[in-house]
């Protein structure tokens, strides 16, 4: 009988999050030019008519990345109600949102602190939300401890 609690059989890290995109070049430009990510690798499956682009910060061996999936014959997608968002860390959230706005990025929630419930105390993180070219939500979370 296998030990199902052994480290070898328990997942140990997030590899990537996949999002489907309608215009691969537009999406790569958005994540690269506005969010500072780098294309890490590309896989093209001509017979199945799709391309995968892995994009992120740093390398895939120690960082979670995004997989942009471009199905060649698909013109649009419905996000449904199950998808939430991708969260990215930023040191200066107000400056980041100014920069993104100047680049034409849609800010859907202006930067500001999370509201604390009346019965809670303490500070909450400062966040903002933006959208990528396909309407996927991206949360920016300020980490000014750097």
């Amino acid at each position: 009988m296998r030990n199902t609690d052994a480290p070898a059989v328990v997942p140990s890290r997030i590899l990537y999050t996949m999002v489907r995109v309608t215009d691969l070049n537009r999406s790569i430009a958005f994540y690269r030019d506005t969010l500072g990510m780098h294309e890490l690798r590309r896989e093209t499956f001509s017979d199945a008519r799709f391309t995968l682009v892995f994009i992120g910060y740093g390398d895939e061996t120690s960082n979670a990345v995004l997989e942009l999936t471009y199905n060649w014959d698909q013109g649009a997608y419905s996000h449904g109600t199950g998808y939430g968002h991708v969260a990215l860390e930023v040191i200066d959230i107000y400056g980041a949102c100014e920069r993104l706005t100047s680049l034409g990025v849609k800010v859907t929630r202006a930067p500001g602190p999370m509201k604390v419930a009346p019965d809670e105390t303490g500070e909450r993180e400062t966040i903002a939300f933006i959208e990528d070219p396909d309407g996927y939500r991206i949360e920016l979370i300020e980490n000014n401890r750097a």
Side-chain angles (χ1 to χ4, degrees):
M1 176 175 221
R2 291 189 90 155
N3 178 356
T4 57
D5 292 327
V9 297
V10 177
S12 59
R13 73 181 186 97
I14 296 170
L15 298 174
Y16 58 82
T17 298
M18 183 271 270
V19 294
R20 297 186 194 284
V21 300
T22 56
D23 182 327
L24 187 58
N25 291 328
R26 178 185 69 178
S27 293
I28 291 169
F30 172 82
Y31 285 99
R32 181 192 60 220
D33 300 342
T34 64
L35 298 178
M37 293 185 186
H38 304 281
E39 183 175 329
L40 303 170
R41 67 184 162 99
R42 180 182 296 233
E43 299 175 14
T44 299
F45 299 85
S46 298
D47 290 346
R49 302 188 52 75
F50 70 92
T51 302
L52 307 177
V53 172
F54 294 84
I55 193 162
Y57 306 105
D59 63 66
E60 290 181 76
T61 60
S62 57
N63 295 287
V65 301
L66 287 178
E67 173 193 292
L68 305 179
T69 298
Y70 174 62
N71 294 292
W72 302 355
D73 303 315
Q74 186 73 32
Y77 294 100
S78 170
H79 292 178
T81 58
Y83 175 78
H85 61 271
V86 172
L88 302 177
E89 180 178 272
V90 62
I91 294 171
D92 175 4
I93 198 164
Y94 294 95
C97 285
E98 277 183 39
R99 178 182 162 275
L100 292 168
T101 299
S102 75
L103 293 170
V105 175
K106 182 178 180 182
V107 176
T108 60
R109 189 228 194 247
M114 291 286 294
K115 293 183 179 174
V116 178
D119 61 337
E120 294 181 8
T121 60
E123 291 184 24
R124 292 289 175 110
E125 58 209 6
T126 302
I127 68 166
F129 276 90
I130 63 172
E131 282 186 0
D132 85 349
D134 286 286
Y136 291 109
R137 294 172 40 141
I138 299 169
E139 180 180 15
L140 303 177
I141 301 174
E142 185 171 72
N143 176 0
N144 52 16
R145 297 179 296 265

